[in-house]
Amino acid sequence: MIKNFLGNFTFGLTLSPDDSQVAIYTYSGLTTGYTTLATGNNIAAVQAAIANIRFDGTSDRNLFQALTREESEVSPQSGWRSNYKHVLIVTSADANAFFAYNFDQLPYAAQWAFNFGCPGVQQSTLTPTTTPAPTQDPSVPCQLSTLNYDVYMIVDTSAQIQAADFSALKQALVGFVNPFPIGDGKTQGYVLDTINQLLQDGSNGQSLKLSLQAIQGAYLNQRYPTANKLIVYFTGNTNWDQDPNQLMNQLKANFTVSSVAVQWTSSADVNQLSNLVGGSNCVNQVMRDAERMSNGVFMTNQSKAYYHRGSGQLTDMGIRQAIGLGRELRAQLQQAGLTGNGSVPLLSEEMHPSQAYFQSFIFERNLMTLGAMGNAIFNTIDGVNIPVPIVTAQMANDYVGRSYLL
């Protein structure tokens, strides 16, 4: 299976003297070289070398010897090119860079290596900012700095989250971590640097069960004495490759682990998250139909400042998004020739109530969204947007905004 994985992995590369090259070494009691960079620059040679890899059948793994040989043999004479990016991939039975508990998970390791090894993917060195660290909001009933928790954060890095939302998610993770003291020889800077280096992998799903297996194998099985263990799952989708519910329940039963989920975008199904973590009370819906604050407690003053309009209300970004939607709709109507001053086929830019009808739920956030979007569609008077009339109805009588089963 390992040879199949190597074959599939290298088959996905463009191999040539001007593109990618592959040098292959194996290690057990002894180190064996199968290709150099110069000989591993065509797919036929690389596939033949992989087919010839021998299984030594020993329990020895002299990785240091393999790395030493690789360092001594890789040179300009053997195909080293100084102006190319160089990636070292080590496959091991006990490495902890990428967990693959079953052979069917090896394609994910290949995807991981592609994304973290390809030029242009790695982030540039981050310049430290002078933004003050978030502090705990006084409304939080317990003192976060005194809590003794093992917190396991699982973060969705799939392409289901838009780039801007992913950037906001990383900032939220920083705000989540900051109030907690960090122990076991680590510092907050270590954890925050790790968060800042998170990258999206381009896939549309996620291997949540594999992440839970990694947490169990590397940490929970060690039976650390910390009494409180918490899994926090931040996600923008629930497109799991395998059902994680049974394993999550086993971890709760065997290791007294608690779990919560954060729905970062509406692509994550709330019902599935509720089933996963044990109920809707353990699911925090951060972003649903708009950029707004869900119902809940502010953990930090930074969060309180960002969601300054209060629980359930739009953020400044949410209002900007609504305005942007109105401007986009205006542009589309103009392009189709359906708007203009005076008498027009469909819609006047001067806002004639006889031509446009706006109806909304009675919730403030819905009214603000529709008002901001509607204002951006039409012209201004003396630099001020023309207000749009919005019709509302009580929930029981709202036959437009609500769906009914007859």
Side-chain angles (χ1 to χ4, degrees):
M1 294 299 296
I2 295 295
K3 291 169 71 172
N4 288 339
F5 160 67
L6 293 175
N8 292 332
F9 176 76
T10 54
F11 191 77
L13 301 172
T14 301
L15 300 179
S16 79
D18 297 320
D19 296 292
S20 297
Q21 301 180 148
V22 178
I24 300 176
Y25 294 88
T26 62
Y27 63 98
S28 55
L30 298 174
T31 297
T32 304
Y34 285 89
T35 65
T36 65
L37 292 173
T39 61
N41 59 18
N42 70 85
I43 190 63
V46 171
Q47 294 287 334
I50 293 172
N52 290 329
I53 292 177
R54 299 185 304 274
F55 177 63
D56 292 342
T58 68
S59 59
D60 297 325
R61 285 175 293 168
N62 197 336
L63 178 58
F64 176 78
Q65 183 186 82
L67 294 174
T68 302
R69 178 170 173 178
E70 180 271 337
E71 184 177 6
S72 65
E73 291 187 355
V74 173
S75 66
Q77 291 72 34
S78 64
W80 170 270
R81 300 167 297 183
S82 60
N83 57 334
Y84 281 67
K85 186 161 186 174
H86 310 100
V87 181
L88 176 65
I89 300 175
V90 178
T91 303
S92 171
D94 59 1
N96 61 1
F98 185 96
F99 291 93
Y101 283 88
N102 301 294
F103 286 117
D104 62 357
Q105 298 292 345
L106 287 175
Y108 293 99
Q111 182 67 37
W112 184 90
F114 279 136
N115 287 323
F116 279 81
C118 294
V121 173
Q122 290 284 15
Q123 290 182 329
S124 58
T125 302
L126 297 173
T127 303
T129 63
T130 57
T131 303
T135 55
Q136 178 174 330
D137 184 74
S139 64
V140 179
C142 59
Q143 185 61 38
L144 300 181
S145 61
T146 64
L147 296 181
N148 185 18
Y149 269 79
D150 283 345
V151 180
Y152 306 98
M153 294 196 304
I154 302 177
V155 183
D156 175 12
T157 60
S158 72
Q160 285 288 99
I161 301 178
Q162 297 295 320
D165 287 339
F166 185 72
S167 178
L169 171 58
K170 291 167 64 173
Q171 291 301 312
L173 294 175
V174 170
F176 175 81
V177 169
N178 257 305
F180 292 93
I182 306 296
D184 196 23
K186 307 298 183 183
T187 64
Q188 282 189 335
Y190 175 88
V191 178
L192 299 181
D193 286 344
T194 301
I195 292 172
N196 286 328
Q197 293 171 17
L198 292 177
L199 301 173
Q200 292 184 271
D201 62 14
S203 66
N204 290 321
Q206 53 185 276
S207 303
L208 175 59
K209 184 177 180 180
L210 182 63
S211 298
L212 295 174
Q213 289 173 328
I215 291 172
Q216 179 183 356
Y219 303 107
L220 296 178
N221 284 343
Q222 309 306 315
R223 300 286 178 178
Y224 293 123
T226 309
N228 302 306
K229 301 177 177 63
L230 177 65
I231 294 175
V232 185
Y233 175 40
F234 297 83
T235 184
N237 78 90
T238 44
N239 300 328
W240 302 317
D241 62 333
Q242 298 183 58
D243 186 352
N245 286 279
Q246 182 178 359
L247 178 57
M248 178 69 86
N249 291 332
Q250 290 174 353
L251 296 182
K252 292 178 180 180
N254 297 335
F255 302 99
T256 61
V257 175
S258 300
S259 62
V260 295
V262 178
Q263 182 210 33
W264 195 251
T265 72
S266 58
S267 296
D269 186 270
V270 175
N271 292 328
Q272 292 190 57
L273 293 177
S274 298
N275 292 334
L276 175 71
V277 297
S280 59
N281 289 337
C282 296
V283 178
N284 184 16
Q285 296 172 266
V286 174
M287 295 182 183
R288 282 181 278 192
D289 54 356
E291 168 90 1
R292 63 181 177 90
M293 171 63 191
S294 63
N295 295 323
V297 177
F298 295 108
M299 292 289 285
T300 68
N301 284 327
Q302 185 187 52
S303 298
K304 190 173 185 178
Y306 184 78
Y307 299 105
H308 57 85
R309 290 186 180 86
S311 179
Q313 304 303 325
L314 290 182
T315 65
D316 292 347
M317 178 60 71
I319 294 175
R320 293 190 187 99
Q321 290 174 344
I323 294 172
L325 178 60
R327 289 172 176 168
E328 176 64 23
L329 180 57
R330 175 189 175 105
Q332 294 294 328
L333 291 170
Q334 288 176 335
Q335 185 176 5
L338 300 178
T339 65
N341 295 321
S343 178
V344 292
L346 178 64
L347 189 65
S348 169
E349 293 177 341
E350 302 301 325
M351 178 53 217
H352 295 166
S354 61
Q355 297 177 336
Y357 179 83
F358 295 86
Q359 180 166 333
S360 170
F361 276 150
I362 60 174
F363 298 134
E364 292 96 337
R365 61 177 178 268
N366 299 98
L367 294 168
M368 290 179 68
T369 299
L370 186 56
M373 183 200 73
N375 291 348
I377 296 175
F378 303 102
N379 289 339
T380 62
I381 297 177
D382 297 330
V384 179
N385 290 102
I386 300 175
V388 297
I390 300 176
V391 177
T392 63
Q394 294 297 321
M395 293 287 287
N397 301 321
D398 188 354
Y399 299 103
V400 175
R402 298 186 64 189
S403 298
Y404 289 85
L405 293 177
L406 300 179

